[in-house]
């Protein structure tokens, strides 16, 4: 009965929250489409982040009155009625001579945002505490980015800021029933890789295990979000983020409540849909589900052609997502152990052990010596080896022989002059070769250390640090992603230009610099 009430309350909270937080497309029908399908702003995220200067209903009334008149200038109308993000902003100038550590220390101030500066009509979601943003076009809090940013904040002894940001996420869970992709109304249909329980682990290093009990209500609510209606499914069935596997095991996939084009990438989605054989709603949901994964986009989600129009994210059981939910189950179990509730401890521990077995059963490829994603529709492992295969090492799910094979694969296939490449495919998508990303370097390095593969972990760390520092010395910037195959060439691909800042790069770099006591290579 308690589980039913929790599920019911979660559904009600989710629906109520979405009804109370209108997106730009809902607020500005007609005007939104006109702007996003034009080339007024090269980046579709610009308009959805713009702040209306007055009541949206009045803006829409004026738009309807004026749009058909001779000489109507759409761009002028938008700039008259909205504060455009990035316009007239002061650009931060770095001082390379002070070194990368000083640069990161300064960037914490540059990327710091006050919580009480949200306009009434903005697409921003309100938060109770100040926070750090990734940087560039990412002007709001992002879920999984924040964990890797926190790794650096902890090295900078900013425990209070970590605490505040965790409280922000707890507030989002309490308000919406989950942590959205980012703190914008147009992200309220999906989450991102569930790192909340790992954030609490970080805080526990500074404040003790009591914090795990403190956030137990939010851990349970997040778990309920990811597992909604799991108990109703039969083998071969799926609902939202949950799939019942052929053997009856419950595993998870990425999903999105909406089957419409993403508002922040509206024109690209509309144009891409014209090339697909999928139903429009299915295609848009697969695009959105890939955005929930954080890997937007990669051949990981596509058929063997690697073309975006073949995307099938909702068919795929991602190894990394299920490892994260294994950790969440262990965290909930631990919270009950600390309370002395042995029955609930055993209940959630059993769930974690069942998931561990399922990951071993469906994700391990003995032939490839790698942990892979699984296509539950086609009932076989997907063909692509990706860096997501290191997650079972990070969470100690792999056995010793498997870990040795993964280590060998990292050393012989993934390791490049600049660090670990994300996949072997050169598709032009940003989560494919030759690109590399800070969070995946960290998960691989930390995972290898769990299995005493310390020499390889150090080698990867040194390559990554060298790449970061080299680009910094040449540009004064720390980037969102890096080309690790040819370190003299900038990373590319994706839906937007290369971003600098950058929250998770700063966090991982500072953590690795301190862990390996490296200043100059």
């Amino acid at each position: 009965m308690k589980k039913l009430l929790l599920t019911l309350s979660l559904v009600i909270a989710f629906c109520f929250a979405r009804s109370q937080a209108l997106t730009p497309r809902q607020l500005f029908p007609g005007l939104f489409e006109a702007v996003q399908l034009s080339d007024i702003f090269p980046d579709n995220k610009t308009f959805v982040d713009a702040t209306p200067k007055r009541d949206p209903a009045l803006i829409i009334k004026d738009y309807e009155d004026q749009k058909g008149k001779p000489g109507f200038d759409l761009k002028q109308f938008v700039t008259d009625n909205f504060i455009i993000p990035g316009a007239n902003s002061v650009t931060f100038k770095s001082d390379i001579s002070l070194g990368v550590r000083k640069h990161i220390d300064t960037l914490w101030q540059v990327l710091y945002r006050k919580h009480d500066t949200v306009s009434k009509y903005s697409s921003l979601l309100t938060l109770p505490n100040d926070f750090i943003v990734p940087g560039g076009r990412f002007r709001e809090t992002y879920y999984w980015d924040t964990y890797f940013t926190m790794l650096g904040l902890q090295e900078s002894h900013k425990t209070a800021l970590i605490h505040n940001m965790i409280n922000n996420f707890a507030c989002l869970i309490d308000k919406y029933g989950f942590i959205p992709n980012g703190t914008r109304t147009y992200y309220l249909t999906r989450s991102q890789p569930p790192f909340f329980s790992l954030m609490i682990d970080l805080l526990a290093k500074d404040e003790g295990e009591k914090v795990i009990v403190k956030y137990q209500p939010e851990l349970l609510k997040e778990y309920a979000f990811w597992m909604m209606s799991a108990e109703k499914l039969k083998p071969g069935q799926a609902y939202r983020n949950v799939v019942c596997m052929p053997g009856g095991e419950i595993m998870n996939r990425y999903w999105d409540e909406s089957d419409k084009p993403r508002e922040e990438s509206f024109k690209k989605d509309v144009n891409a849909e014209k090339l697909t054989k999928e139903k429009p709603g299915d295609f848009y949901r697969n695009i959105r589900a890939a955005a929930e994964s954080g890997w937007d986009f990669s051949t990981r989600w596509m058929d063997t052609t690697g073309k975006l129009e073949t995307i099938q994210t909702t068919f795929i059981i991602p190894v990394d997502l299920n490892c994260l939910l294994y950790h969440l189950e262990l965290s909930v179990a631990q919270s009950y152990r600390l309370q002395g509730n042995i029955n609930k401890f055993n209940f959630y521990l059993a769930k974690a052990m069942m998931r561990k077995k399922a990951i071993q059963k469906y994700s391990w490829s003995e032939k490839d010596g790698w942990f892979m994603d699984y296509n539950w529709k086609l009932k076989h492992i997907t063909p692509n080896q990706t860096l997501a295969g290191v997650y079972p090492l990070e969470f100690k799910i792999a056995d010793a022989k498997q870990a040795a094979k993964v280590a060998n694969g990292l050393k012989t296939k993934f390791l490049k002059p600049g660090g670990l490449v994300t996949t072997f495919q050169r598709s032009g998508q940003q989560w494919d070769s030759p690109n590399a990303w800070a969070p995946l370097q960290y998960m691989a390095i930390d995972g290898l250390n769990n299995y005493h593969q310390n020499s390889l972990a150090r080698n990867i760390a040194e390559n990554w640090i060298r790449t970061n520092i080299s680009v910094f010395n040449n540009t004064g910037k720390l980037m969102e992603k890096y080309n690790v195959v040819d370190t003299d060439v900038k990373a590319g691909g994706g839906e937007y230009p290369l971003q600098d800042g950058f929250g998770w790069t700063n966090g991982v770099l500072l953590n690795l610099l301190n862990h390996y006591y490296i200043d100059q290579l």
Side-chain angles (χ1 to χ4, degrees), residues 453-472:
Q453 295 279 351
N454 309 99
S455 177
L456 178 58
R458 171 172 280 274
N459 192 7
I460 295 166
E462 288 180 349
N463 283 19
W464 182 251
I465 292 168
R466 188 183 295 112
T467 299
N468 282 215
I469 291 178
S470 174
V471 171
F472 171 73

Side-chain angles (χ1 to χ4, degrees), residues 252-296:
N252 288 79
R253 63 175 176 176
Y254 289 112
W255 181 256
D256 190 299
E257 271 300 287
S258 175
D259 62 357
K260 302 294 188 291
R262 292 170 298 157
E263 295 192 18
E264 72 279 11
S265 298
F266 190 78
K267 186 175 183 178
K268 285 186 170 67
D269 285 3
V270 168
N271 288 340
E273 187 274 326
K274 296 172 184 175
L275 302 174
T276 187
K277 295 177 182 177
E278 297 176 24
K279 294 177 182 177
D282 292 343
F283 176 76
Y284 292 135
R285 178 163 277 131
N286 279 317
I287 287 281
R288 285 172 164 270
E292 182 173 73
S293 80
W295 290 47
D296 43 343

Side-chain angles (χ1 to χ4, degrees), residues 150-207:
M150 285 178 177
L151 293 172
L153 292 173
Q154 189 164 59
E155 297 297 329
S156 297
H157 308 293
K158 296 186 181 295
T159 305
L161 184 52
I162 293 173
H163 205 145
N164 284 344
M165 292 164 75
I166 289 175
N167 282 340
N168 283 344
F169 284 138
C171 179
L172 289 169
I173 292 173
D174 289 337
K175 186 172 184 179
Y176 301 112
F178 70 109
I179 300 172
N181 181 149
T183 48
R184 294 277 180 181
T185 56
Y186 53 81
Y187 287 139
L188 281 172
T189 55
R190 64 176 179 267
S191 187
Q192 257 195 338
F195 274 87
F196 183 65
S197 58
L198 279 84
M199 295 177 193
I200 293 170
D201 282 357
L202 270 185
L203 188 60
K205 289 181 181 179
D206 293 332
E207 298 191 356

Side-chain angles (χ1 to χ4, degrees), residues 11 21 49 61 64 145 231 316 351 416 426 460 484 497:
V11 171
D49 291 0
K61 182 179 184 303
E64 291 297 330
D145 292 62
E231 67 282 355
I316 293 169
K351 284 183 174 293
K416 306 298 179 185
R426 282 183 174 262
I460 295 166
V484 293

Side-chain angles (χ1 to χ4, degrees), residues 6-19:
L6 178 60
T7 301
L8 186 61
S9 65
L10 185 69
V11 171
I12 292 170
F14 183 76
C15 295
F16 178 76
R18 288 183 61 196
S19 69

